[in-house]
Amino acid sequence: MVRALDGNDDGRSGASTADAGGILSIDLAAIVANWRDLKSRIEGAECAAVIKADAYGCGIEPVTAALSDAGCRTFFVAHLDEARRVRANAPHARIYVLNGLPPGSSHAYADADLRPVLGSLAEIEEWQSFRGTRGWQGGAALHVDTGMNRLGLRLDEAARLKQSTVSAAGFDLLMSHFACSDEPGHALNARQMAKFREARSLFPNLPGSLANSSGIFLDPDAHHDLVRPGIALFGGNPTPGHSNPMQPVVTLEGRIIQVRNVEAGETVGYGGAWTARRPTRLAIVSIGYADGLIRAASATDIKPGAEAIVSGRYCPLAGRVSMDLLAIDVTDLPSGSVHRGDHATFLSKDITIDDLAVHAGTIGYEILTSLGRRYHRIYR
């Protein structure tokens, strides 16, 4: 089934096909298939879904609905606003908010039946006080740091927590986060797994959660009671250096608005950073870094840039990606094969988010979450 979401049908600002510079197609069935694939790789543990950053740019509302229909019962987001959007589409789900408890926000969690992930003594004290005053029985997750050194209690802080505090705070999950799980041989993985086992011994009655997308592919000792895949749901490769076991999710096409010729020796784009070495034919496309085709994917005389598929063939970018436009060198395509109104493909099963990330010197996460709101979106 193909469902086009124009205007604000999905709570976003997607443009119509005629108005947009490009088309972003999102395969909800592939997201569900990836979740089921990951779920099949764990034994005796629950598979949640991390859908922060607007479901990694794919849209919280449709992604939540699809995963909820498939049987996903636990979701993780970064902020309260994201959690409210999940709640509207998954009324019975457990929803954890990873970035903790902003001061004075406890009532907002209670109002929408949301669960903060608490990673400091100050947060725990405020949440415990709120629950006692309000009589709120809702749960929360206790975050213990095992080596990321971002959020979470140190093990010595966690060891000093009294059992009465654990009960008063309503903790129903103990969690930590891998720093290097996408590098299976990294020594920090084993240290973090050992520290998390130590943390679990402090709170033997709490279910544990450590594994992210790549963590699922480590030793089964990393799985515990609940795993939290994110990027893998959306087609990112959780096993860098090996073939991607996940299905691709997004297809991105940009509209060609002009085909033009430049002479050898002329430059293209801002800064004159790319010089035509021969008589060159360019396809000018109506998307740019404001749409998530990040500037680091640009081509210069020194560095080749990303590629696009035009008329069934790979073609290189020419010059810098600007805010709303970019150029593709289509000189090697047959004459007359590229026309105004055609589309160039930047992401697909043949050009993955990780492929584009390599050309841009970044990671697939940034590519995916940068995709802008000006596209016409189609949910399949």
Side-chain angles (χ1 to χ4, degrees):
M1 180 181 72
V2 177
R3 182 164 63 101
L5 299 180
D6 294 331
N8 293 315
D9 289 353
D10 66 338
R12 297 170 60 83
S13 55
S16 69
T17 307
D19 295 340
I23 300 172
L24 181 63
S25 300
I26 298 163
D27 190 340
L28 295 173
I31 295 174
V32 169
N34 288 337
W35 178 76
R36 287 176 172 153
D37 179 291
L38 295 165
K39 186 173 183 291
S40 73
R41 295 174 186 272
I42 57 177
E43 185 175 346
E46 179 185 355
C47 188
V50 179
I51 54 173
K52 60 185 179 177
D54 197 27
Y56 287 65
C58 292
I60 273 183
E61 287 80 7
V63 170
T64 299
L67 287 172
S68 183
D69 287 347
C72 184
R73 295 294 175 259
T74 303
F75 296 90
F76 289 81
V77 294
H79 300 295
L80 263 169
D81 179 63
E82 296 175 331
R84 292 189 189 99
R85 292 168 62 189
V86 175
R87 173 60 72 216
N89 289 271
H92 305 296
R94 293 178 295 274
I95 304 169
Y96 291 94
V97 182
L98 291 164
N99 283 18
L101 188 72
S105 65
S106 296
H107 66 91
Y109 282 87
D111 290 346
D113 189 17
L114 307 173
R115 306 180 188 206
V117 176
L118 305 179
S120 73
L121 296 175
E123 288 181 328
I124 293 171
E125 181 180 356
E126 182 172 337
W127 179 248
Q128 178 184 350
S129 175
F130 169 80
R131 290 181 89 248
T133 303
R134 174 86 173 257
W136 175 244
Q137 298 300 308
L142 174 60
H143 188 168
V144 176
D145 179 59
T146 55
M148 176 71 85
N149 284 308
R150 265 187 340 188
L151 300 174
L153 270 65
R154 300 188 311 271
L155 282 183
D156 64 299
E157 291 179 314
R160 291 197 296 269
L161 285 182
K162 297 178 180 179
Q163 184 56 46
S164 60
T165 300
V166 174
S167 298
F171 289 126
D172 53 21
L173 183 68
L174 177 70
M175 60 170 285
S176 191
H177 191 57
F178 276 120
C180 306
S181 58
D182 57 346
E183 301 176 53
H186 200 290
L188 186 53
N189 291 325
R191 292 202 298 271
Q192 287 195 266
M193 290 169 66
K195 284 188 175 182
F196 193 65
R197 287 194 296 271
E198 182 180 347
R200 293 210 66 186
S201 71
L202 299 172
F203 309 100
N205 296 322
L206 290 183
S209 177
L210 176 62
N212 53 5
S213 290
S214 294
I216 292 172
F217 292 82
L218 295 178
D219 192 283
D221 287 344
H223 294 168
H224 295 276
D225 302 296
L226 181 145
V227 298
R228 313 186 307 269
I231 188 67
L233 297 173
F234 305 99
N237 189 355
T239 59
H242 301 276
S243 60
N244 189 353
M246 314 318 299
Q247 295 186 23
V249 168
V250 296
T251 301
L252 175 60
E253 302 168 282
R255 180 180 289 117
I256 296 170
I257 57 174
Q258 188 178 120
V259 180
R260 61 186 299 124
N261 296 312
V262 299
E263 298 297 326
E266 291 191 78
T267 61
V268 175
Y270 283 116
W274 187 92
T275 306
R277 290 180 168 82
R278 57 180 177 170
T280 299
R281 188 164 73 255
L282 299 175
I284 310 301
V285 181
S286 185
I287 61 176
Y289 59 73
D291 305 290
L293 254 294
I294 62 176
R295 192 169 182 266
S298 300
T300 69
D301 290 339
I302 299 171
K303 177 188 79 70
E307 295 180 312
I309 296 175
V310 183
S311 295
R313 292 178 59 180
Y314 292 92
C315 299
L317 266 59
R320 289 180 178 167
V321 177
S322 56
M323 183 180 292
D324 312 296
L325 296 166
L326 56 81
I328 303 171
D329 184 349
V330 295
T331 310
D332 292 331
L333 296 181
S335 178
S337 63
V338 185
H339 306 90
R340 170 174 165 262
D342 291 347
H343 284 85
T345 300
F346 296 87
L347 291 171
S348 67
K349 63 180 178 61
D350 298 308
I351 302 178
T352 69
I353 56 174
D354 296 303
D355 294 332
L356 181 53
V358 168
H359 285 291
T362 184
I363 55 177
Y365 298 74
E366 184 178 14
I367 297 298
L368 195 54
T369 59
S370 295
L371 297 178
R373 294 172 177 256
R374 300 197 294 187
Y375 298 116
H376 173 68
R377 290 192 170 214
I378 298 174
Y379 287 88
R380 301 184 183 279

